[in-house]
Amino acid sequence: MIKVYQTIVDPGKGNCMQAVVASLFEKDIQEIPNFINFGTQWWPEIYNYYNCNGYNGIGCLDPKGRIELTKRALEFDGGVNGFWAAFVPSQTFKDSSHAVIIDKDLNIVHDPNPNQKALLLGPEDITKIDIVHPGWYIDGDVLVIGPND
């Protein structure tokens, strides 16, 4: 993972997710689509990007209320070289989400916003994590290894 910083810091138009994906895949920010430009179709575009780069099981995980279980799940998942895209409440704009990078212990290790305010947040502030490998799911409070039929 390299640290790439967003070049657009603007509510509803920022490119934090573009910077996070560039960081995870160790690319220049211009090599990554600015996903926010796809409007409501941003998720299929991210899924397609990950898929084209060897990750065919991208999905979302909500860690709220199950921090230890999430840590076990991330250890199994593996992430992109041990790191994941995650979302936290923006520390810059009210009522907005912000993309960051976390490690398997749910520590925020990179905030693409140059102000770095999200680095002060903890595991309990993470609202969503993009997982990258198929073959597991969470059923209630249990990590299940195997297909989710």
Side-chain angles (χ1 to χ4, degrees), residues 8-30:
I8 304 168
V9 180
D10 191 4
K13 297 178 185 169
N15 65 339
C16 58
M17 190 63 189
Q18 181 184 24
V20 161
V21 173
S23 296
L24 288 172
F25 287 95
E26 300 183 347
K27 305 268 186 179
D28 188 88
I29 197 165
Q30 284 79 23

Side-chain angles (χ1 to χ4, degrees), residues 78-129:
V80 178
N81 298 316
F83 298 100
W84 292 261
F87 290 87
V88 296
S90 172
Q91 301 301 289
T92 306
F93 302 109
K94 186 176 179 167
D95 300 322
S96 294
S97 288
H98 179 58
V100 295
I101 296 177
I102 63 168
D103 65 14
K104 68 180 176 71
D105 293 319
L106 304 177
N107 297 308
I108 297 171
V109 296
H110 177 49
D111 176 1
N113 188 314
N115 72 21
Q116 301 290 282
K117 290 180 179 180
L119 292 177
L120 299 175
L121 300 176
E124 64 282 350
D125 297 304
I126 297 169
T127 59
K128 185 182 89 160
I129 302 167

Side-chain angles (χ1 to χ4, degrees), residues 5-56:
Y5 294 90
Q6 65 188 103
T7 56
I8 304 168
V9 180
D10 191 4
K13 297 178 185 169
N15 65 339
C16 58
M17 190 63 189
Q18 181 184 24
V20 161
V21 173
S23 296
L24 288 172
F25 287 95
E26 300 183 347
K27 305 268 186 179
D28 188 88
I29 197 165
Q30 284 79 23
E31 296 178 71
I32 308 298
N34 186 359
F35 300 106
I36 203 162
N37 290 338
F38 294 99
T40 60
Q41 294 301 306
W42 65 272
W43 177 249
E45 293 299 323
I46 290 175
Y47 183 93
N48 184 54
Y49 188 86
Y50 274 76
N51 190 48
C52 288
N53 286 278
Y55 295 91
N56 62 356

